[in-house]
């Protein structure tokens, strides 16, 4: 079974708008990561946030982490058609580096 | 600097057959993990290899086995294939010394069992 859930399952927006995806998890974590996947191919690492961090930025990406609520959000600002993909959150537990993924959010950015 | 490579890209097998998938990690990485991704779902962890030994294992039956070679490349073997084994199999590599939690994924092998 998956670690948690992602919300929404699908999101459709216009180019230039912001996209927000949420992720919840169930157990204690060491860190949380976000990945992008285009058309069922390999995953691309976007950003990692450690359990003692609350917010992190990378270019147009902003990730927040609330360990008390066991949740995270990924914000993509000024979206582009090229951002169309599936986005997954994945957590690493307190032992080992195995990733536990959510079900993903399918983002469609319309030009 | 080559990233993670996987072979083959696509594979079609019949129920009951056996399959071997291959992965070469990113240069400088010594840890290889395998994931299974069914259509429309998130990847699920199969196992992880480090120093030629299985270090962690997910909730997969013994039909799934693996191996890591001295050059850090890895194989995933699946015996007695079932229709439910049809999926995208992803290999990921990471380095234990630098940013061990950031995993780099290969393009995957699409396995279809008929």
């Amino acid at each position: 079974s998956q670690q948690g859930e992602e919300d929404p399952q699908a999101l459709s927006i216009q180019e230039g708008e912001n996209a927000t995806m949420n992720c919840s998890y169930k157990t204690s974590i060491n860190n949380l990561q976000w990945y992008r996947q285009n058309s069922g191919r390999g995953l691309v690492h976007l950003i990692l946030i450690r359990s003692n961090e609350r917010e992190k930025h990378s270019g147009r990406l902003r990730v927040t982490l609330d360990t008390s609520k066991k949740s995270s959000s990924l914000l993509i600002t000024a979206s582009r058609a090229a951002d169309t993909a599936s986005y997954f959150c994945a957590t690493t537990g307190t032992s080992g580096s195995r990733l536990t993924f959510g079900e993903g959010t399918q983002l469609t950015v319309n030009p | 600097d080559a990233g993670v490579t996987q072979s083959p890209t696509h594979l079609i097998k019949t129920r009951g057959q056996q399959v071997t998938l291959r992965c070469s990690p990113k240069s400088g990485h010594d840890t290889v993990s395998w994931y299974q991704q069914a259509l429309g779902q998130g990847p699920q962890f199969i196992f992880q290899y480090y120093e030629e030994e299985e270090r962690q294992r997910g909730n997969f039956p013994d039909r799934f086995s693996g191996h890591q070679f001295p050059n850090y490349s890895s194989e995933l073997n699946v015996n007695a294939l079932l229709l439910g084994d049809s999926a995208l199999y992803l290999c990921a590599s990471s380095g234990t010394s630098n940013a061990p939690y950031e995993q780099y994924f290969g393009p995957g092998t699409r396995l279809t069992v008929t």
Side-chain angles (χ1 to χ4, degrees):
Chain A
S1 63
Q2 297 296 314
Q3 161 77 302
E5 299 176 355
E6 293 186 58
D7 167 48
Q9 289 187 329
L11 180 61
S12 181
I13 60 175
Q14 296 300 122
E15 216 168 18
E17 294 181 338
N18 295 341
T20 299
M21 289 160 270
N22 303 298
C23 164
S24 62
Y25 57 92
K26 297 177 181 176
T27 60
S28 297
I29 63 170
N30 181 292
N31 62 69
L32 185 144
Q33 304 177 47
W34 285 89
Y35 287 83
R36 184 185 74 225
Q37 184 177 40
N38 291 84
S39 301
R41 300 297 288 169
L43 287 87
V44 175
H45 182 267
L46 296 176
I47 195 166
L48 178 152
I49 186 166
R50 303 185 192 285
S51 59
N52 61 354
E53 297 175 313
R54 292 298 167 258
E55 186 172 314
K56 202 162 184 179
H57 297 253
S58 177
R60 293 185 296 114
L61 306 179
R62 173 180 170 253
V63 170
T64 61
L65 178 64
D66 187 335
T67 53
S68 67
K69 296 181 179 178
K70 291 186 168 58
S71 67
S72 173
S73 67
L74 170 67
L75 168 67
I76 303 175
T77 60
S79 63
R80 306 165 182 168
D83 294 329
T84 295
S86 293
Y87 291 82
F88 294 91
C89 70
T91 57
T92 302
T94 52
S95 62
S97 59
R98 62 181 284 181
L99 292 169
T100 302
F101 285 85
E103 296 293 333
T105 294
Q106 172 61 51
L107 173 66
T108 301
V109 181
N110 301 299
Chain B
D1 179 23
V4 180
T5 60
Q6 291 186 244
S7 63
T9 304
H10 295 88
L11 202 53
I12 300 175
K13 289 286 188 177
T14 304
R15 275 180 300 176
Q17 286 187 319
Q18 178 265 344
V19 68
T20 297
L21 310 182
R22 296 177 175 81
C23 171
S24 291
K26 180 178 169 64
S27 177
H29 285 181
D30 55 11
T31 301
V32 174
S33 302
W34 287 92
Y35 295 82
Q36 179 196 65
Q37 185 179 23
L39 196 62
Q41 297 184 16
Q44 290 198 22
F45 176 79
I46 303 175
F47 42 54
Q48 183 181 84
Y49 277 84
Y50 171 69
E51 291 189 340
E52 302 180 50
E53 291 192 0
E54 183 182 289
R55 184 161 66 175
Q56 285 187 293
R57 188 178 182 92
N59 188 26
F60 279 80
D62 292 344
R63 297 187 298 109
F64 289 77
S65 63
H67 188 77
Q68 186 179 34
F69 299 93
N71 66 353
Y72 307 121
S73 67
S74 176
E75 288 183 349
L76 164 65
N77 301 292
V78 186
N79 295 321
L81 284 167
L82 304 174
L83 294 179
D85 295 331
S86 294
L88 180 68
Y89 288 85
L90 296 162
C91 168
S93 72
S94 56
T96 53
S97 58
N98 184 31
Y101 298 107
E102 292 189 20
Q103 299 195 20
Y104 291 78
F105 282 79
T109 293
R110 173 74 62 187
L111 173 65
T112 302
V113 182
T114 62

